[in-house]
Amino acid sequence: MSDILSSLNKEQREAVTTIGGPILIIAGAGSGKTQALTHRIAYLIEQKISPQNILALTFTNKAAKEMRQRVSRLMGQETEKIANYQITKSGGFIGTFHAFASKILRDEITRLGRSRNFVIYDEKDTLSAIKDIMAEFAIDLEKFRAGGMASAISKQKNELRDARTYNDSAKEFYEKLVGKVFARYEEVMKESNALDFDDLLLLAVKIFRKFPDSLEKYQNQFKYILVDEYQDTNHAQYTLLSMLARAHKNLCVVGDDWQSIYMFRGADFTNILRFEKDYPEAKIVFLEENYRSVQNILDAAHAVIDKNIYKTTKNLWTKRGKGDRVRIIETGSETEEGYFITEEINKILRERKIANDLNDFAILYRTNAQSRAIEEAVIQEGWRYKMVGALKFYNRREVKDIISYLRFVQNSKDLLSLKRIINVPPRGIGKASWDKLYSANDLNKSRTFQQNIKSHWNDLIGANPDQQQTAGYAWKVRDSKISAFLEFISGLKNMSLEKKTSEFIKILIERINYKEYALDGTEEGEARWENIQELVTVASKFDEFPPQEGLTAFLEEIALASATDDISDERGELNLMTLHSAKGLEFPVVFIAGAEDGLIPHSKSSFDMAQMEEERRLCYVGLTRAKERSYMIFTRRRSLYGKNQPSVPSRFLSDIPAHLVEFKKYGEIDTEYLEI
């Protein structure tokens, strides 16, 4: 038996060695799906299939990195091309859907009349752009939320609908309002040479539909396609995969419909349920042996998910024994909830049986608003902790400032970045100057702000002195601070073509005197400067690229970073995160806070069966993050969103059979576990 297969169970070996035609791997929580995927890649290479013909897609950079590292360990240094994914025309690819779509667009987007040096807007950038558009149209931001507007537009793009298609069918007032913003948003993004996450998939599919030769090129390269977390695919991702796999049908998808929890992002778990219909010849393999959790936790989680109607049938089992029962804890308030958690962690750490370090614990909650009381209890203990997904590293103010400089240097059409950095650090360009420029009072009214800036920019970097005298408004302000700033950026742009990525960023930081700006004499200032230094460290990974390519690859990676990419394995830090952020993670001990109707399940699911089923799946995911012990905590009263009101225990608690739980009242009454 091959060394690649020796560590696998029977079902995993079947999943790995079935290499011809479509295959669906239904992988329950903790059943070794990543192991199956990585061993399958290694097995394909062992069978003399070229790495350049392999495409493996995931949903997070963290998962992609783990997959590359595992393949590298299995195969050795000779597989460096696939283990260390480089965005090349000839190499294999292991990465996220969005990174892959970006790769396609860097090669093909000129066929749509767009430039290859596009920047990628993250969710925060997109929201800022939409807010500006709503202000332009005098839309009341109190009455109509920008976030809701962004979600509505994102939903349409996930369905592969552009603004024109959407507006053709818009009937209600709000739909027409969304359509108006959507159309203007498309214009702004094109003018700024920017794409958002949804654009990456939308335009990749558009290219494949419009240019069959482009699709054929990628079909012929990627003859073997592997997809992780298939249950989380949306319509755009589903379509992209279907088109790519059409030629050779060597499509391997791994997933678990029981863990589909991203419906709000457009994920459609029915994609995995209809795989057999899409590919009647497909082989189906079930991975049901769990290597993570004790049996009592698995059975409790199964009892919750079993109430769902639309699901596959499977029965997870483990060799780890029955283990501890699920602890159901009643507290009087969210304050007591926090105190119980910290006291219980202290108790477990003293015993040293199931956990030895704060990093072995995770506290999960349905909404970020719940974290306040928990944080207060943790702070009183003097513990270090990390809040996963609360504020991504790349969205911190100081980091975002430097990134915006880099983006504008790379793409001078990126007006969102220009707006952010034009007076950071302060250089005497106030809001009035910006507004005057933006309103184009002295400009040709037929031109957009982007067009005027472009003209100004072109004058700055290309005009000779004689031309400057006749260049219009742009050179009326040639001695202004704005003009001086753009000249400064022009110099940086030239430098970026010569310097390694990290070296260029160091020079940029020095030239704008950002260290002095960040270090304001406070601890927060010290932290800001440390974050800037960490950004330089991250950038150094791209120094092996040619200068301009390195900067592009660096900006692309950080734009596509997800919240879970910030998760580290650093010891001595307690993990706090939402249930959604916990997907794909595991911990010896897990506390699920707020096990109350209105939170788990969320109030929005009360009258929607599809959403209620999603809430059950979310609870299932939370329970199955635990290896040794799981707690579900509810309060009798909770202060949330400014209201103090009675709470009702989650209906999911009553789904768990009595023999699988231990119950405890925390506070003034009992302190011992009671059998129920």
Side-chain angles (χ1 to χ4, degrees), residues 51 68 72 75-86:
R68 292 193 293 269
S72 185
M75 299 299 298
Q77 296 302 311
E78 68 270 14
T79 60
E80 191 72 16
K81 183 179 286 186
I82 196 155
N84 259 338
Y85 103 89
Q86 302 288 336

Side-chain angles (χ1 to χ4, degrees), residues 231-301:
Q231 78 280 350
D232 292 332
T233 53
N234 60 27
H235 178 65
Q237 290 159 336
Y238 170 84
T239 303
L240 184 67
L241 286 170
S242 299
M243 297 176 80
L244 285 169
R246 190 182 302 154
H248 303 283
K249 291 186 167 55
N250 295 320
L251 176 62
C252 170
V253 303
V254 183
D256 180 12
D257 57 296
W258 291 13
Q259 298 185 73
S260 179
I261 59 173
Y262 295 121
M263 187 167 63
F264 66 96
R265 293 181 185 172
D268 185 357
F269 77 99
T270 63
N271 288 342
I272 196 169
L273 297 181
R274 70 183 186 195
F275 190 85
E276 291 181 78
K277 183 179 180 181
D278 290 340
Y279 303 94
E281 71 276 32
K283 187 177 189 67
I284 315 297
V285 179
F286 284 83
L287 303 184
E288 296 178 302
E289 182 178 357
N290 180 283
Y291 296 93
R292 177 189 300 154
S293 308
V294 295
Q295 192 66 52
N296 280 332
I297 290 176
L298 296 178
D299 291 346

